[in-house]
Amino acid sequence: MTQERIIKIEAYYRDPGLLERIAANFRRFWLDIGWMNMETGENGKCTIYMSIYDRSKLGNLDLSIITLSKMIDIDFVEELEGARYNKFEIEYNKSKKYEWGVVSE
């Protein structure tokens, strides 16, 4: 059984490379990302919530969190215990479907 850990990251958002660097940090240690959610705030500060799995059971999860906390633009990384995640409910009136370059409505 794999354990899911939910972490909270406070960072400064300057460019989309921030999310790529965060994801690459976990993939470098052979960890899986279940989902990622980013909320932007004032002055370029953002909060990122992530679900991380250690499916290979190599024990690299703690090391990857510590490494992430030392990265540029990261204020702090917080591991949330007993957290629950409810998927977003999205309401929409119309949608466009993109499938192999063909747009259908």
Side-chain angles (χ1 to χ4, degrees), residues 71-103:
M71 287 178 60
I72 296 173
D73 294 332
I74 305 291
D75 272 350
F76 65 87
V77 179
E78 185 177 6
E79 185 178 344
L80 306 177
E81 294 183 15
R84 293 184 194 157
Y85 174 72
N86 296 324
K87 293 192 177 194
F88 302 110
E89 295 180 18
I90 301 172
E91 297 179 18
Y92 60 93
N93 295 332
K94 190 176 179 183
S95 68
K96 284 185 183 179
K97 182 178 180 182
Y98 296 87
E99 187 172 7
W100 289 96
V102 179
V103 180

Side-chain angles (χ1 to χ4, degrees), residues 1-2 7 12 15 17 20-21 31 44 47 49 52 55 57-58 64 67 70 72 85 89 95-96 98:
M1 181 175 173
T2 59
I7 62 170
Y12 291 100
D15 61 352
E20 293 175 9
R21 288 190 305 270
L31 299 170
T47 304
Y49 294 95
I52 307 297
R55 286 192 169 89
K57 296 183 176 136
L58 296 173
S64 66
T67 304
K70 295 179 181 180
I72 296 173
Y85 174 72
E89 295 180 18
S95 68
K96 284 185 183 179
Y98 296 87

Side-chain angles (χ1 to χ4, degrees), residues 25-76:
N25 176 65
F26 291 106
R27 296 304 299 151
R28 178 177 22 165
F29 290 104
W30 294 89
L31 299 170
D32 293 333
I33 299 171
W35 51 264
M36 181 185 289
N37 179 21
M38 184 177 89
E39 300 170 356
T40 57
E42 296 178 5
N43 300 326
K45 200 162 193 176
C46 67
T47 304
I48 302 165
Y49 294 95
M50 297 179 72
S51 169
I52 307 297
Y53 294 93
D54 188 8
R55 286 192 169 89
S56 59
K57 296 183 176 136
L58 296 173
N60 293 333
L61 192 53
D62 294 329
L63 182 60
S64 66
I65 292 173
I66 291 169
T67 304
L68 179 65
S69 69
K70 295 179 181 180
M71 287 178 60
I72 296 173
D73 294 332
I74 305 291
D75 272 350
F76 65 87

